[in-house]
Amino acid sequence: MLTKKLRIGIVCPYGWDTPGGVQNHVRDLAEFLIQAGHEVSVLAPAIDEAKLPSYVVNAGKPIAIPYNGAVARVLFGPKAFARVRQWISSGDFDILHLHEPAIPSISLLACWAAEGPMVGTFHAAAKHQKVIYAIGPILEPAIEKLSARIAVSEAARLTLTNHLDTDAVVIPNGIYAKRYSNGISREDWSGNTLGFIGRFEEPRKGLQVLLDALPIIARFAPDVRVLVAGPGDSKEVEESIDPQLRRRFEFLGRISEEDKADFMSSIAIYVAPNTGGESFGIILAEALAGGACVVASDIPAFDSLLGSGEFGALFTSEDSTDLAKTVIDLLRDTDKRNRLSKIGKAHAQIFDWEVVAEQIFSIYEMAMVGGDKITLSSENRPWSRFLSRDEGKEK
Amino acid sequence: MKILIFVLVILVSLWYLSFLATRLDRLHHRVETSWANLDGLLQRRAAIALEIARSDFADPASSLLLTSASYQAREAGLKERSAAESMLSGALGLLIEDGQVHTNSAERALFEELSLLTAKIRIAISIHTDAVSSTQTVRRKLAIRLFRLAGSAPLPLVYEFEFDAI
């Protein structure tokens, strides 16, 4: 697949040291491309420069701004802009891959400053992004420089077409499917167990919906247990749980990738009760790859990932009664459960990096047809020459 | 003071016009490269179609149909291009269903290449269409029409590929 060796620049808008879907995606993509023999440089904001892998260039300390119902750690400002320009002009890149270029971040700055084959990936999907996208007309001149746009899901593509009036190719987020396919079923995690992975303290992850559904589920399946994995303070959540239900809960804390594989093959059902703010749902892809039977809320991202119920069961979002009904139905019907997990596992292969990276790479090839390289855009050139002379004097 | 403001306004509008011109220039460039990409992929498709037409797999009738369709697609001018390509899509469509069950490995490889190419062409079309429509939107701007910033560059046409046909 990857014949010509390229110099690829990737810009990650969010702080490298904070966990997040975009960061994971950029890291995996960069490592995959490096393995394939390309030269990759990732520009990302970071707090601790010492901990960065060799392919990441620090753009400065990120600042926290509220965005999309969570806190985003991004970076912008004149100093960051100078760094971005310097990275672009010294990078000699064949192609630039910008992640989430429509929010104020170094991705947008890079889009502003560069010229040549550029690809943008849009991750976010939300109904209420008016605040950010209200500045659409200002963004337009920058965004239209992208030779090709990628959306990670149909939901992200819709957000893009609605707010910025431009289309995108849908390429899903990638997972290393093989890592999850060989999990070993552990006895203490198997039985009538429901699995949940994620930052359970965040309301949009929907643990509360599962909590509300549990009394009904317990009536039909007396031995049902819930395994919750993920970072966060479990004490507070545990105390809020009805004492009668508390013994059904087990908080595992953060688990490793290997544990995750075992987790997915042990549990009876993986439950994703998220109430929104999800654009892709990488955890569902991982659950499917691990051979878990998945029950998820019918928010757009999950609906499309699960093929409208073909690869996993859906319930009406935020409706705990419907969740309980769906779970009980599956706990009783082992055949259906096995069938769903088998179909799901086969489907999950389309999210494997081998497939996804090849799709992304073919977009790179299309963007590079003109044969140009990445340069600073004309309006930035004299300005940057002036700046670099200035920096030289300082030294 | 008045003169200063006047000069400032002139300078800002000059800067704005040059900004618009670069923006438009970039968009035209995007239209050209995305078209070059699409064109290249379509040429490759026509070549594969010819190869299929000449293979043992195609019966004489479909072979004739394919050959003429792929020649037309390769030689069509810009305006007839999309009609010609749609015809080729149609001719290929007739064969594709049979092609997938066909056992000869050489021909199966051809069909596999064709389906990979088709996926790429779909993406290339959407990229090109997007470039064309952004260019058209920007060219509708008053300042651009008033100052003829587009120069003599022709207004890019949307390539009306019958999307479902390929």
Side-chain angles (χ1 to χ4, degrees), chain A residues 115 140-141 144-149 166-167 169 362-363 365-366 369-370 372 377-379, chain B residues 19 22-23 26-27 29-30 33 36-37 41 120-121 123-124 126-127 130 134 137-138 141:
Chain A
E115 197 169 68
E140 218 169 62
E144 75 188 11
K145 279 159 80 180
L146 297 170
S147 327
R149 276 142 267 248
T166 156
D167 205 359
V169 183
S362 87
I363 301 286
E365 285 177 327
M366 291 187 189
V369 162
D372 306 317
S377 62
S378 49
E379 60 264 33
Chain B
F19 168 76
T22 358
R23 194 178 154 190
R26 246 180 232 137
L27 279 170
H29 187 69
R30 230 181 94 201
T33 49
N37 174 41
L41 290 171
K120 278 191 181 173
I121 289 175
I123 294 172
S126 81
I127 289 175
D130 199 57
S134 340
T137 319
V138 170
K141 277 184 189 284

Side-chain angles (χ1 to χ4, degrees), chain A residues 9-307:
Chain A
I10 304 179
V11 183
C12 172
Y14 303 124
W16 190 263
D17 347 54
T18 38
V22 176
Q23 293 92 313
N24 288 344
H25 179 79
V26 171
R27 185 197 58 216
D28 286 353
L29 175 65
E31 283 170 7
F32 191 93
L33 290 168
I34 289 170
Q35 280 233 307
H38 300 286
E39 278 177 63
V40 179
S41 174
V42 175
L43 184 71
I47 300 164
D48 188 357
E49 191 162 356
K51 281 185 192 155
L52 294 179
S54 58
Y55 55 83
V56 178
V57 174
N58 187 3
K61 277 207 174 78
I63 2 174
I65 59 162
Y67 170 70
N68 199 7
V71 174
R73 294 186 184 279
V74 292
L75 175 68
F76 43 85
K79 212 172 153 193
F81 196 25
R83 285 251 179 109
V84 168
R85 279 195 304 253
Q86 204 263 329
W87 178 74
I88 290 169
S89 63
S90 66
D92 188 35
F93 297 117
D94 294 304
I95 184 142
L96 218 52
H97 190 169
L98 312 172
H99 288 264
E100 208 73 289
I103 66 163
S105 68
I106 50 171
S107 286
L108 180 59
L109 296 182
C111 193
W112 214 284
E115 197 169 68
M118 288 194 275
V119 174
T121 292
F122 294 80
H123 295 263
K127 276 177 243 157
H128 312 290
Q129 287 200 322
K130 290 200 183 92
V131 193
I132 300 291
Y133 281 110
I135 49 174
I138 308 169
L139 290 179
E140 218 169 62
I143 297 301
E144 75 188 11
K145 279 159 80 180
L146 297 170
S147 327
R149 276 142 267 248
I150 298 170
V152 297
S153 63
E154 204 52 49
R157 185 179 153 242
L158 275 180
T159 310
L160 189 62
T161 43
N162 289 344
H163 292 287
L164 283 173
D165 199 24
T166 156
D167 205 359
V169 183
V170 176
I171 297 179
N173 278 342
I175 57 167
Y176 284 105
K178 278 191 207 89
R179 280 188 202 163
Y180 300 103
S181 62
N182 299 319
I184 302 152
S185 181
R186 291 194 201 170
E187 214 163 294
D188 53 334
W189 287 348
S190 50
N192 273 346
T193 47
L194 310 179
F196 176 101
I197 297 183
R199 277 168 279 175
F200 45 83
E201 286 165 303
E202 279 181 29
R204 68 188 181 103
K205 301 287 178 187
L207 187 61
Q208 193 56 45
V209 183
L210 181 57
L211 280 173
D212 294 342
L214 206 63
I216 314 173
I217 301 172
R219 221 181 297 152
F220 289 89
D223 59 338
V224 70
R225 287 186 300 140
V226 180
L227 304 173
V228 180
D233 183 13
S234 60
K235 275 214 184 91
E236 210 174 296
V237 179
E238 257 180 294
E239 268 157 29
S240 70
I241 301 171
D242 186 334
Q244 282 192 309
L245 293 172
R246 208 178 290 166
R247 62 185 174 83
R248 297 184 184 279
F249 275 85
E250 197 179 326
F251 286 87
L252 306 172
R254 209 178 203 165
I255 57 173
S256 69
E257 295 284 295
E258 293 85 47
D259 284 345
K260 225 192 226 176
D262 292 349
F263 186 85
M264 294 303 182
S265 64
S266 309
I267 55 176
I269 296 175
Y270 183 83
V271 183
N274 303 40
T275 57
E278 211 65 36
S279 157
F280 181 73
I282 194 87
I283 188 69
L284 289 193
E286 290 171 353
L288 291 178
C293 168
V294 172
V295 171
S297 56
D298 63 351
I299 58 174
F302 290 175
D303 183 88
S304 77
L305 197 147
L306 293 175

